[in-house]
Amino acid sequence: IEILNLADDTMNSKQLIAKSPLSFCYAFIVCSLLSACSQNNKFEKIEWRLQSQATESSVDYQELVNMAEQVALMSGGRLVITPYPGGKKSIASGPDIFTAVQKGTVEMGNGWPNWWSAQDPAWAVMNAGPFDLMNLDASMIFFLEGEGTKLANQLSQPKGIIWRPAWWPGMEFGLLSRTPIKGLADLKGMKVRIGPGLPSEVLAEAGKAYTIPLTPEEIRPALASGELDAVEWTTAGGAWDLSLNDISPYAIVPAIWQPSVVSDFLINQQAYEQLPTDLKAILETAIKSYTLTTTMKSKMNDIEAYERFKDSDIEITKWSDDDINEWRIASDKIISLYRSKNQFTRELIDKKQAFKVRYTDYYEVFGPYDD
């Protein structure tokens, strides 16, 4: 109180010292500490770039913006993350995001594990392949509480990258096409946009189609020009957000090739390890918050988007039982090839399938009973 009173007096420093030398010393110490703290905060400010594959208007990208704002708030401005969407504003695109994170061109990346399959074939099966973990919650349990994240880091850390699950779109939508696709027979010879790795290989095997892994910003122009006959793009919400419905009057659902797809975060390991302990905790907490929020918002968005698809002029067809059997045969063939690629890929496939058995056994008793 005396210090505050002294500060209100209009007197010079000699008068302050003469009036209360001890209080002046306290005031000097407090000011010095505040100045040091201010300088320390400036010194600790860390700026990161986060490159996403998502389009700027998508739910998952908008939640990245929110996550960055929360990190800045929780850290008192000491950790500032700037997200970049896919497209013209991007620093890196598609599979190149992995390399950009590895080299430190960006400190974080956000994409899909199968896009990193050029780094190791195991990335192709890290994501959900056909007849893999069928439910969104099965995949979440495997990665958040099971062995999934540990296995993914065994792949990423030798490349200098820390891996984290980002969010779960769950079952993808299917194929949107310019001409009717009633089943696998109609896919023969078609040019289909689909992500790289296991999903595209199974589609090519089952449908005898040509698969093209275009990034989001390339999809609509290619479909409109006729360079593509059909498009796979994430979930119902993702497909609707790209406004594909007005140039593709037909759809066949669901996406057999990716039933419980997971998006991921890539973090430059050196940049992560240089963070103070509290900033690491803030980042990890923000990622987990992003995971839950984006997964739930996206799924609600998918339900609403599917209702819009049904109310539109699009003709929606489901795969027949015979087609699903053909999909399974093609999937088993491709999976057997992946099992032979290396020991790690084989171990990953086996562990996912073993968890699927446990999950299925549980839900045979505790699943919906009103079907």
Side-chain angles (χ1 to χ4, degrees):
I1 293 172
E2 187 175 0
I3 293 171
L4 294 175
N5 290 336
L6 286 171
D8 289 336
D9 291 338
T10 55
M11 56 182 69
N12 59 37
S13 59
K14 289 182 180 179
Q15 290 175 312
L16 281 172
I17 294 171
K19 183 172 181 180
S20 182
L22 184 59
S23 295
F24 181 81
C25 290
Y26 287 154
F28 179 80
I29 291 169
V30 169
C31 291
S32 298
L33 288 172
L34 289 172
S35 176
C37 288
S38 175
Q39 292 176 6
N40 191 46
N41 282 339
K42 291 180 181 178
F43 176 77
E44 286 187 353
K45 182 177 179 181
I46 298 169
E47 297 187 63
W48 278 17
R49 292 150 297 182
L50 194 169
Q51 179 63 61
S52 175
Q53 289 187 10
T55 56
E56 192 165 8
S57 62
S58 65
V59 172
D60 46 317
Y61 181 76
Q62 291 304 313
E63 287 305 314
L64 284 179
V65 174
N66 290 337
M67 184 187 81
E69 291 174 352
Q70 291 302 307
V71 168
L73 179 63
M74 289 188 289
S75 69
R78 291 166 56 214
L79 179 56
V80 177
I81 300 174
T82 303
Y84 293 85
K88 294 180 180 179
K89 298 180 181 179
S90 65
I91 299 172
S93 180
D96 293 335
I97 293 177
F98 190 100
T99 306
V101 175
Q102 182 182 22
K103 291 182 177 179
T105 306
V106 295
E107 287 74 22
M108 289 185 70
N110 172 228
W112 313 96
N114 52 296
W115 280 87
W116 326 135
S117 54
Q119 304 292 329
D120 191 293
W123 286 116
V125 296
M126 189 69 68
N127 216 330
F131 308 96
D132 195 284
L133 301 175
M134 300 298 290
N135 293 35
L136 180 148
D137 63 325
S139 183
M140 292 180 78
I141 295 167
F142 179 74
F143 281 101
L144 292 175
E145 292 296 328
E147 296 184 81
T149 296
K150 177 182 176 182
L151 290 166
N153 276 285
Q154 287 179 23
L155 271 184
S156 67
Q157 289 193 11
K159 301 281 189 178
I161 291 174
I162 292 172
W163 188 93
R164 294 289 183 267
W167 67 287
W168 275 265
M171 180 73 72
E172 294 201 342
F173 182 63
L175 291 176
L176 287 157
S177 58
R178 295 161 55 88
T179 57
I181 300 175
K182 300 294 185 181
L184 280 172
D186 295 329
L187 275 177
K188 187 174 181 179
M190 279 191 168
K191 295 167 291 194
V192 180
R193 184 276 163 201
I194 188 171
L198 179 64
S200 64
E201 292 171 46
V202 174
L203 188 144
E205 176 65 26
K208 310 304 178 188
Y210 300 102
T211 58
I212 306 169
L214 299 182
T215 52
E217 67 275 10
E218 301 171 312
I219 292 174
R220 183 180 169 86
L223 184 63
S225 68
E227 294 176 42
L228 292 174
D229 299 305
V231 166
E232 168 271 349
W233 177 245
T234 68
T235 59
W240 189 270
D241 287 345
L242 275 187
S243 301
L244 300 177
N245 51 294
D246 60 344
I247 53 175
S248 48
Y250 304 97
I252 186 163
V253 300
I256 302 292
W257 46 91
Q258 283 192 322
S260 59
V261 62
V262 57
S263 171
D264 60 2
F265 281 122
L266 307 176
I267 308 171
N268 180 277
Q269 187 169 359
Q270 184 177 5
Y272 180 85
E273 290 175 349
Q274 289 175 350
L275 292 178
T277 303
D278 63 326
L279 293 187
K280 287 179 184 176
I282 288 170
L283 179 63
E284 296 284 1
T285 301
I287 286 174
K288 289 178 181 177
S289 176
Y290 173 87
T291 297
L292 181 60
T293 302
T294 308
T295 299
M296 296 300 106
K297 279 191 175 182
S298 174
K299 195 46 58 188
M300 180 59 77
N301 187 47
D302 287 342
I303 293 171
E304 294 169 352
Y306 182 61
E307 291 168 348
R308 289 193 290 270
F309 271 118
K310 287 198 301 181
D311 292 340
S312 72
D313 295 329
I314 290 180
E315 180 182 315
I316 300 177
T317 304
K318 291 185 70 175
W319 301 102
S320 68
D321 290 343
D322 288 341
D323 279 336
I324 290 175
N325 186 56
E326 290 299 317
W327 275 108
R328 187 181 290 277
I329 292 170
S331 176
D332 289 345
K333 179 180 178 180
I334 301 301
I335 287 292
S336 67
L337 295 175
Y338 271 91
R339 287 179 59 84
S340 65
K341 287 181 182 290
N342 59 55
Q343 183 178 348
F344 183 88
T345 304
R346 183 165 58 253
E347 178 185 1
L348 176 58
I349 293 169
D350 288 345
K351 288 190 173 184
K352 291 180 82 175
Q353 290 299 315
F355 179 73
K356 181 180 178 179
V357 170
R358 294 176 63 198
Y359 176 92
T360 303
D361 286 347
Y362 177 84
Y363 278 100
E364 281 182 359
V365 177
F366 297 102
Y369 53 82
D370 60 347
D371 291 342

